[in-house]
Amino acid sequence: MEYGSIEREIHIDATPEVVYEVVSRPEHLREWWPDEADLAPVPGATGTITFGDKTTPEATVVPLTVVDADPPRRFSFRWVYEEGATAAPGNALLVTFELVPSGAGTLLRFSETGFWERGWEAAVLEEAYREHVTGWDHFLPRLVGYVARVVSTR
């Protein structure tokens, strides 16, 4: 198995503008991905996403740094790096949402890269990769469902 990147292509029945909002704005992110999101969708901005109730010790708070914010075409961020570190190639994973108009909808090209570059030992790399594949396979369909609800209310 190749542990270098995760890639998915999904067709979404909404314009790139709507999809961009849903993948880049905290009020939308928390509806389909983390339980909490605190970030500004501008290049260089740092923030956090939280899985679980942040008032409990079981919560997982993950720092992230926005890399690219090019509405309505591309949104990317680095995450999974040590708290206090500056996210960069080699110490963080890069998540990219590329949005391509497709008929009346959008082709979402999703990728997460940087697993090899982290320099993890084999067992850690394999576990992290599997966890992220499982996570994205769960959350990306939720993204599609949430976008459909957003479109239905506009």
Side-chain angles (χ1 to χ4, degrees):
M1 175 178 267
E2 173 61 47
Y3 301 109
S5 65
I6 300 169
E7 297 177 1
R8 301 286 185 270
E9 283 194 358
I10 304 167
H11 185 270
I12 301 176
D13 291 325
T15 64
E17 289 79 8
V18 170
V19 178
Y20 184 86
E21 281 183 33
V22 169
V23 300
S24 67
R25 299 181 56 95
E27 64 270 23
H28 291 297
L29 286 168
R30 65 178 68 105
E31 295 297 323
W32 65 270
W33 186 34
D35 295 298
E36 288 291 328
D38 179 18
L39 67 111
V42 295
T46 58
T48 59
I49 56 170
T50 304
F51 296 96
D53 180 349
K54 66 181 172 185
T55 64
T56 68
E58 294 80 30
T60 302
V61 179
V62 183
L64 63 80
T65 300
V66 177
V67 174
D68 195 7
D70 181 18
R73 291 180 272 295
R74 175 190 294 265
F75 183 73
S76 65
F77 59 87
R78 289 197 176 278
W79 73 321
V80 188
Y81 55 92
E82 299 300 320
E83 192 168 349
T86 299
N91 77 347
L93 301 179
L94 177 65
V95 171
T96 302
F97 296 94
E98 185 178 337
L99 310 175
V100 180
S102 176
T106 302
L107 176 63
L108 169 67
R109 291 187 178 129
F110 166 88
S111 67
E112 184 174 30
T113 61
F115 290 91
W116 281 115
E117 293 80 357
R118 286 297 312 264
W120 287 319
E121 63 179 57
V124 173
L125 170 65
E126 290 174 24
E127 181 180 353
Y129 184 83
R130 273 196 305 274
E131 285 177 359
H132 284 242
V133 166
T134 300
W136 290 117
D137 286 348
H138 171 77
F139 289 112
L140 290 174
R142 287 175 46 129
L143 163 73
V144 175
Y146 177 67
V147 169
R149 291 195 308 278
V150 168
V151 169
S152 73
T153 62
R154 290 193 174 186

